[in-house]
Amino acid sequence: MALAGQAQLVGLQQQRGAFYDGDYHEIVTGAAYRPINNDRWNTLFKYTNFYNLPSPGQLSPSGFTADYAQRSQVLSVDTIYDVKPWLSLGAKYAFRIGELKDSKVDGQWFSSRADLMILRADWHFVKEWDAVLELRNLRATEAQDSRAGVLMAIYRHMAEGVKAGVGYNFTNYSDDLTNLSYRSRGFFVNVIGTM
């Protein structure tokens, strides 16, 4: 009885065809520096191991055909310091080392490295309101490409440790270095919670 069940499963997998021949994993780990006695300085370290081999018919979350297969490692450090009760300054540096290949053909893997640098200012201009300005720069080594731009947002504190906001990304890239779409320009909504 068990053998018959296994044979049916194998037959079902073979009938599905190339549309289902994909593979994916994303492993994320991180650590934070948040002193108990002095909460003015906070830092987050994050490591991501990312592998995405899309099937030929797979669509990205935005509804586009997945153009590239990717295997990457991303390391980032994000820090912010409260200079004054009304002003926080921060910076983020992240880099991706990995490989890409065209997912539409069975091509060769090629090296792909990217570096992201962000300078950030948070202005607490009214008791429950914050304004955010980020200066961003993304460099893709193999493509010999560098893109700079600005992100702006405004947040309202909703409850203890929760704030929601809207903003506009004037760049066309994301701060998620595994996102290769260059379709991130535009308005966004964000909710942030802290403990």
Side-chain angles (χ1 to χ4, degrees):
M1 197 113 163
L3 290 176
Q6 289 176 351
Q8 289 174 352
L9 179 61
V10 169
L12 179 62
Q13 289 173 341
Q14 289 173 349
Q15 290 173 359
R16 289 180 175 176
F19 181 84
Y20 292 92
D21 292 340
D23 197 5
Y24 177 88
H25 77 250
E26 183 174 13
I27 302 166
V28 179
T29 186
Y33 174 76
R34 298 189 70 189
I36 296 171
N37 297 332
N38 182 2
D39 193 32
R40 292 180 65 186
W41 180 29
N42 293 281
T43 302
L44 175 67
F45 301 93
K46 182 177 163 187
Y47 167 76
T48 303
N49 184 297
F50 185 79
Y51 180 75
N52 183 22
L53 182 62
S55 66
Q58 181 176 326
L59 299 179
S60 68
S62 55
F64 296 98
T65 302
D67 295 331
Y68 291 97
Q70 177 183 178
R71 50 189 183 199
S72 296
Q73 298 181 67
V74 179
L75 187 63
S76 68
V77 59
D78 194 343
T79 189
I80 194 158
Y81 183 74
D82 296 336
V83 178
K84 300 281 185 187
W86 51 271
L87 179 65
S88 301
L89 298 177
K92 177 176 182 175
Y93 174 72
F95 70 91
R96 180 191 74 230
I97 53 174
E99 296 178 306
L100 304 173
K101 75 174 182 174
D102 191 334
S103 63
K104 296 174 186 170
V105 296
D106 192 20
Q108 296 293 315
W109 290 96
F110 59 91
S111 295
S112 174
R113 174 168 176 141
D115 295 86
L116 174 69
M117 291 157 278
I118 298 175
L119 295 176
R120 175 183 175 125
D122 288 45
W123 177 36
H124 317 290
F125 63 94
V126 178
K127 183 179 178 185
E128 295 179 347
W129 291 89
D130 297 344
V132 175
L133 173 67
E134 289 185 357
L135 304 176
R136 298 173 155 208
N137 185 282
L138 176 68
R139 293 184 193 153
T141 305
E142 283 74 20
Q144 297 180 349
D145 185 29
S146 181
R147 300 170 185 226
V150 174
L151 178 142
M152 294 189 300
I154 188 163
Y155 288 89
R156 187 180 193 293
H157 294 262
M158 309 301 285
E160 182 70 31
V162 178
K163 63 182 179 178
V166 296
Y168 193 87
N169 183 359
F170 290 91
T171 68
N172 60 358
Y173 54 86
S174 169
D175 63 349
D176 174 5
L177 288 181
T178 63
N179 180 349
L180 306 173
S181 70
Y182 290 98
R183 295 184 182 108
S184 297
R185 181 184 308 271
F187 287 99
F188 63 89
V189 175
N190 195 17
V191 178
I192 300 172
T194 59
M195 298 177 109

